Amino acid sequence: LSLENYDASLVQYKRAIELDENFSESYNNLGVTYLSIEDYGSAIDAFEKALANEFYANPERAHNNMGWVYYKQESYEMALKSYKKALKYAPRFFPPRYNIALIYFDESEYNKAISKFKGIVRDFPKHTFSRLKLGISYMKLGKKELADRKSVV
């Protein structure tokens, strides 16, 4: 998208918030837009406003998105906390599960990454990136046979 499209999105989400400041999804979407243009402070602020509404129907989305902000800033501990909060609301929600595994992979904690990617591959067998990262994790640990067998199955 062009910057103009993001600007238009920001205007529309802010207008939606003016019309109903209790509609948390508008804050969440505003945060996603800020995240997309790398305005991380504004993104966090918008996600926190979404989560401030105790009646927000999908808090796992805002927690996951907040985690992605922290991930992009390489604040992995904060990202993990956000992803784990998301999973408290929706234990089978795919994005935070994958993002947790990705952090472990990026931090070279391959045994933890393997554990997480195996669960994802079990529950979402068609997710090819999880299979790929699972295989690479096995390779990084020198377990080529498991990499071949587990990531392709």
Side-chain angles (χ1 to χ4, degrees):
L1 290 174
S2 71
L3 190 54
E4 290 173 5
N5 290 338
Y6 288 116
D7 288 341
S9 294
L10 292 172
V11 167
Q12 292 303 316
Y13 290 129
K14 288 176 182 178
R15 177 72 178 124
I17 290 165
E18 287 174 11
L19 294 172
D20 184 356
E21 65 184 31
N22 293 315
F23 187 55
S24 293
E25 206 59 42
S26 293
Y27 283 109
N28 184 58
N29 292 337
L30 180 65
V32 169
T33 304
Y34 282 127
L35 172 59
S36 297
I37 59 173
E38 300 180 353
D39 183 348
Y40 298 133
S42 296
I44 291 290
D45 184 55
F47 297 135
E48 287 175 345
K49 287 178 180 172
L51 292 166
N53 179 355
E54 64 184 299
F55 299 109
Y56 182 25
N58 303 105
E60 69 277 5
R61 292 180 188 174
H63 282 297
N64 180 70
N65 293 333
M66 191 178 304
W68 193 246
V69 170
Y70 291 129
Y71 177 86
K72 296 291 281 180
Q73 295 176 316
E74 297 182 5
S75 297
Y76 296 132
E77 286 304 313
M78 294 295 292
L80 284 171
K81 286 179 185 178
S82 293
Y83 295 142
K84 289 175 182 179
K85 285 179 185 177
L87 292 174
K88 284 184 181 181
Y89 290 99
R92 293 187 42 86
F93 188 40
F94 174 81
R97 291 178 66 190
Y98 180 77
N99 293 337
I100 288 170
L102 196 58
I103 288 173
Y104 291 143
F105 182 87
D106 290 348
E107 291 287 286
S108 302
E109 294 184 46
Y110 298 115
N111 285 315
K112 288 181 179 180
I114 287 168
S115 174
K116 298 299 180 185
F117 284 127
K118 282 171 66 174
I120 294 168
V121 167
R122 180 192 65 237
D123 295 343
F124 304 93
K126 294 183 180 181
H127 192 258
T128 56
F129 286 113
S130 291
R131 289 183 178 280
L132 175 64
K133 294 288 190 183
L134 176 60
I136 293 170
S137 296
Y138 278 122
M139 291 292 289
K140 294 284 189 177
L141 294 176
K143 299 179 180 181
K144 183 183 183 314
E145 180 182 311
L146 288 174
D148 292 342
R149 193 168 15 129
K150 296 290 185 181
S151 61
V152 184
V153 173

